[in-house]
Amino acid sequence: MEIIKTENLKKTYKDNGVPVNALRGINLIINKGEHVVIAGPSGSGKTTLLNLLGALDKPTEGRIFFKGEDFSLKTKKELSDFRLRNLGFVFQAYNLIPVLSATENIEFSLMLLGIPEKERRAKSLKLLEELEIADLAYKRPGEMSGGQQQRVAVARAIVNNPKLVLADEPTANLDSKTGALLLDLMDKMNVEKNITFIFSSHDQLVIERAKRLLLLKDGLINDQNN
Amino acid sequence: MLFKLAWRNIWRNKRRSFIVFISVIVGVNAMLFMDGMSNGMLSQILFNEISLNVSHIQIHKNGFTDNKMVQNYMPDYENVEKIIITNKSIRYYSKRIVTFGLLSSAANSTGIYLNGIEPENEQNVSRIKSSIIEGKYLSGNSGEIVIGKKLAEKLQVELGDKVVALANTSDGSIGSDVFRIVGIYKSPSSEFDKSYVYIPITNAQTMLNLQNKIHEFAIITNNYNSANIIRDKLRETLSGSYEVLSYEDLLPFVIIQLDMYKESLFVINLIISLALIFGIINSMLMSVFERIREIGVLMSIGMRNGKIFLMILIEAFTIGTAGTIIGVISGYLINIPFSTFGINLSVFAQSLESFAVGAILYPKLSVENFVMILLMIPLISILGALYPAYKAIKLEPVYAIRYI
């Protein structure tokens, strides 16, 4: 079942006034439950593509469809709601809210969805247990290691049962052992919860686990099914 | 959770929040102090003017205020007195003879307001008795006079000295009499002290050939705030031969002055508020710029712009409200000793006395002052946060999440 589809996706931005063609016509279909890795050298357009797929940025040309619905027709407010209900993000730098505890960070999107406090607390604590970090529930990001923070970030990304999780270089700031553990965790979520994962990475550890590898070079894609 | 997040954001940079908090407290205290001083000054001006001579309501023959001729005595004061006595809203009243005249000593002479008063009743409607600093108040005996300290200095007279009063009589001739100074008073108004003298009413009636006629009823009501209502009722009851005037009618210049003070106070409060707004804008902008990445993350996970906007307003509102509450409490506590013991402004005594304000100023705060500040400052805090909040929601999530 098709979850996301792009048609002739192009993105040009200006770097010091000079136009840079980050993406030069991406045609792509990703199905539900897939585990996709977008790989490529630095500056190849991985993050740009991920930002477009995550409705964080708008393409210069082309269209993106999420379950057949065109992104470009949505307002800013609708895109916010869309991200809240359908997407999860895992960032390279974890990007947890420093003044909130682990459980509060996880609960945040549930709060935005209007889920009652008791229910969201129970859900976030259950997820922390599943990710084997229940002891961190009431700790703030500043009191956690990088790996622990990224686990909380994964929990935050999947707590609202998103259809798609976008992970931008999730292991870049982690040592290989912690990175592997985190990838195990996301693989598990992919299999158990049938959540679609799209990674952008040039980390060999991530690329090796890809069930589908999209190689980006000079703004164009080379789809290599594993 | 939005409130929780906003609350914790406040504590993120304690020093900055503390500075804003303190500036709000200082601003609120400055406003309350200014309000207290102005209210105190305005009340003192009004109280002094009322208690020195004006009283709450005066009744005269029609046209007396515009033309204070001695012949303008009240045609039928006995009937007016009956109406006054039966009015339960009136607490005290006193009869007066009021005219212009000349007072001479061996050394000097000067123009005066000659007031013939009923010594017993007058002490209920004016504070002349309690303002006496030398000698005594009128006993009611013939030939006694009480004058102001400034006038005594001008005439170079002392207690026990003789002075001669001259004034037009009701038949157009000049009436005169010799008086012995039995008391010297000092009021908060130097201008008043220079010109108002008091003699027994019977002396004045004889000297001015008025028999038992009078010029004025000075009235004190149960509540000065209802003076205008009582005035209107008296006007209805009395025929058109009398003018009934409240202190607001009698002191138009003072009332305008009070309004001007209130307006200038509003401008001062506005300036303090503007300073606070800019402080809050600056602080909230710093707070937003420090959190660009975080705001980007909140946007990425689906937080609507409206909620981000609200979160920043809540932060400013919380600091502003907390600062206002503490400021109002501290302002109230600080005001207690000042309003009890007064602020000694004797350095400016001369200029204050010309405004009928004493050298000791008693700040006075009203519930209205507190309510206005409790409403205004939190609102100002929100206003100050509008621009930073706008800047926050104008961020593009794709750039914000990568902001270093």
Side-chain angles (χ1 to χ4, degrees):
Chain A
M1 186 189 155
E2 170 191 310
I3 191 154
I4 201 156
K5 177 182 161 186
T6 68
E7 275 181 9
N8 193 29
L9 202 59
K10 291 182 183 174
K11 180 71 185 177
T12 304
Y13 59 85
K14 286 192 174 171
D15 187 11
N16 288 328
V18 181
V20 177
N21 295 316
L23 299 175
R24 297 193 295 157
I26 306 284
N27 291 297
L28 184 69
I29 293 175
I30 293 171
N31 293 315
K32 184 163 172 59
E34 275 200 282
H35 178 283
V36 181
V37 175
I38 302 168
S42 290
S44 59
K46 300 187 295 293
T47 300
T48 305
L49 179 58
L50 221 61
N51 286 338
L52 290 172
L53 295 178
L56 294 174
D57 201 2
K58 288 194 167 177
T60 313
E61 219 180 299
R63 293 195 294 177
I64 307 167
F65 297 90
F66 187 87
K67 294 170 91 178
E69 234 184 302
D70 190 350
F71 271 12
S72 62
L73 302 175
K74 288 185 186 290
T75 62
K76 228 176 171 180
K77 200 167 149 185
E78 285 170 336
L79 284 175
S80 280
D81 285 348
F82 165 76
R83 287 194 295 267
L84 178 63
R85 290 171 199 285
N86 299 292
L87 304 182
F89 292 90
V90 180
F91 302 98
Q92 179 182 335
Y94 331 127
N95 284 351
L96 297 175
I97 308 298
V99 291
L100 299 181
S101 67
T103 179
E104 287 166 343
N105 262 287
I106 297 165
E107 280 175 48
F108 201 81
S109 55
L110 299 178
M111 181 274 288
L112 295 175
L113 283 167
I115 293 169
E117 192 177 352
K118 247 183 176 176
E119 196 182 325
R120 61 180 194 242
R121 180 55 51 99
K123 209 167 176 180
S124 75
L125 290 175
K126 189 175 169 229
L127 203 54
L128 282 166
E129 253 174 54
E130 274 182 49
L131 299 179
E132 296 166 11
I133 46 171
D135 55 323
L136 302 177
Y138 300 101
K139 287 195 172 171
R140 291 196 185 180
E143 300 166 302
M144 298 178 213
S145 69
Q148 288 170 330
Q149 285 189 59
Q150 198 61 308
R151 279 181 178 225
V152 175
V154 170
R156 178 178 68 182
I158 61 173
V159 71
N160 55 343
N161 297 320
K163 292 164 185 78
L164 175 65
V165 172
L166 299 152
D168 187 14
E169 309 265 11
T171 56
N173 288 350
L174 304 177
D175 59 64
S176 54
K177 192 181 163 196
T178 314
L181 282 171
L182 190 85
L183 291 172
D184 286 345
L185 190 76
M186 287 199 270
D187 285 348
K188 194 177 150 201
M189 295 294 136
N190 174 239
V191 174
E192 286 178 4
K193 296 185 188 282
N194 199 28
I195 298 170
T196 311
F197 274 86
I198 304 179
F199 293 82
S200 90
S201 183
H202 55 253
D203 183 351
Q204 203 54 37
L205 201 67
V206 180
I207 294 167
E208 278 168 8
R209 289 166 178 253
K211 291 176 186 155
R212 182 177 169 196
L213 185 64
L214 303 174
L215 285 175
L216 252 181
K217 197 178 176 193
D218 300 329
L220 288 170
I221 214 153
N222 179 9
D223 193 351
Q224 299 190 344
N225 270 314
N226 280 15
Chain B
M1 181 149 348
L2 203 59
F3 284 92
K4 193 188 277 180
L5 183 58
W7 175 251
R8 290 193 189 162
N9 281 332
I10 291 169
W11 292 102
R12 177 189 295 236
N13 191 328
K14 290 189 185 79
R15 190 188 298 173
R16 188 178 50 228
S17 298
F18 186 69
I19 289 169
V20 178
F21 181 68
I22 292 295
S23 64
V24 171
I25 292 175
V26 170
V28 168
N29 273 281
M31 278 179 165
L32 284 174
F33 189 72
M34 287 304 299
D35 286 354
M37 289 281 281
S38 298
N39 284 348
M41 193 181 284
L42 301 183
S43 304
Q44 265 174 263
I45 290 173
L46 198 59
F47 174 75
N48 288 339
E49 292 285 358
I50 288 174
S51 63
L52 277 177
N53 184 258
V54 172
S55 69
H56 294 167
I57 292 172
Q58 289 182 4
I59 304 176
H60 316 112
K61 182 191 175 187
N62 233 344
F64 178 79
T65 307
D66 293 333
N67 185 8
K68 287 183 176 155
M69 280 174 63
V70 72
Q71 291 87 350
N72 273 341
Y73 49 80
M74 295 172 85
D76 185 13
Y77 81 86
E78 290 90 349
N79 276 339
V80 178
E81 192 170 10
K82 279 179 197 163
I83 291 166
I84 292 172
I85 290 167
T86 53
N87 191 319
K88 286 183 177 154
S89 304
I90 293 172
R91 186 183 290 176
Y92 302 115
Y93 73 95
S94 183
K95 290 177 263 195
R96 286 174 181 167
I97 296 285
V98 182
T99 193
F100 300 114
L102 190 76
L103 196 67
S104 305
S105 68
N108 215 339
S109 11
T110 185
I112 48 146
Y113 284 104
L114 185 68
N115 290 271
I117 57 168
E118 300 174 300
E120 270 303 304
N121 292 334
E122 183 67 24
Q123 56 187 315
N124 295 324
V125 298
S126 77
R127 59 194 277 194
I128 283 305
K129 186 181 179 184
S130 59
S131 301
I132 287 180
I133 53 166
E134 287 176 53
K136 61 182 178 66
Y137 184 56
L138 297 175
S139 63
N141 293 335
S142 185
E144 290 177 344
I145 191 167
V146 168
I147 67 170
K149 177 79 178 161
K150 288 273 177 191
L151 184 60
E153 283 167 10
K154 192 173 180 182
L155 295 177
Q156 298 171 30
V157 289
E158 291 176 351
L159 212 60
D161 286 353
K162 281 183 180 172
V163 285
V164 176
L166 288 168
N168 278 332
T169 62
S170 62
D171 57 14
S173 60
I174 301 290
S176 68
D177 211 342
V178 179
F179 296 92
R180 190 174 295 279
I181 300 167
V182 294
I184 294 174
Y185 70 85
K186 188 176 185 311
S187 78
S189 167
S190 53
E191 290 305 310
F192 187 88
D193 294 359
K194 279 179 198 165
S195 51
Y196 278 72
V197 303
Y198 294 87
I199 59 173
I201 192 164
T202 45
N203 253 173
Q205 284 166 334
T206 310
M207 180 183 141
L208 301 173
N209 197 19
L210 281 169
Q211 285 84 43
N212 65 340
K213 303 290 185 202
I214 64 157
H215 289 125
E216 180 175 290
F217 276 106
I219 292 170
I220 293 293
T221 61
N222 291 329
N223 178 3
Y224 82 99
N225 287 320
S226 54
N228 283 346
I229 300 168
I230 299 163
R231 172 201 63 189
D232 293 344
K233 278 185 185 165
L234 285 170
R235 274 181 187 168
E236 273 175 34
T237 318
L238 294 166
S239 70
S241 327
Y242 298 98
E243 60 181 22
V244 185
L245 303 168
S246 72
Y247 66 88
E248 285 189 20
D249 306 317
L250 292 158
L251 300 166
F253 180 70
V254 172
I255 300 298
I256 291 169
Q257 208 180 0
L258 299 189
D259 287 343
M260 276 169 58
Y261 267 126
K262 281 178 188 166
E263 279 164 25
S264 60
L265 189 65
F266 176 75
V267 173
I268 291 167
N269 281 350
L270 199 69
I271 292 167
I272 296 172
S273 304
L274 279 176
L276 274 180
I277 281 190
F278 283 109
I280 290 165
I281 289 176
N282 182 41
S283 162
M284 292 311 294
L285 265 181
M286 289 288 289
S287 168
V288 166
F289 286 143
E290 272 175 16
R291 284 186 285 157
I292 286 179
R293 193 183 183 124
E294 226 173 282
I295 291 166
V297 172
L298 293 174
M299 286 173 163
S300 305
I301 61 177
M303 191 169 180
R304 281 188 189 173
N305 282 351
K307 282 198 171 158
I308 292 172
F309 195 85
L310 185 64
M311 179 182 78
I312 291 164
L313 295 193
I314 291 171
E315 288 173 25
F317 177 78
T318 307
I319 300 182
T321 306
T324 307
I325 292 168
I326 302 294
V328 161
I329 294 169
S330 59
Y332 172 74
L333 294 175
I334 289 168
N335 188 61
I336 291 173
F338 289 128
S339 61
T340 311
F341 304 110
I343 299 171
N344 194 337
L345 298 174
S346 46
V347 184
F348 313 107
Q350 211 166 1
S351 54
L352 285 170
E353 279 174 8
S354 60
F355 285 99
V357 182
I360 309 287
L361 187 65
Y362 295 89
K364 193 177 169 187
L365 286 168
S366 65
V367 176
E368 193 187 316
N369 296 130
F370 290 114
V371 171
M372 200 186 83
I373 285 174
L374 280 169
L375 293 175
M376 198 167 83
I377 305 296
L379 184 73
I380 278 168
S381 308
I382 291 175
L383 287 177
L386 286 178
Y387 178 65
Y390 172 78
K391 290 291 278 183
I393 61 166
K394 281 290 149 194
L395 291 169
E396 286 297 334
V398 68
Y399 299 112
I401 52 172
R402 305 184 74 79
Y403 187 84
I404 300 167

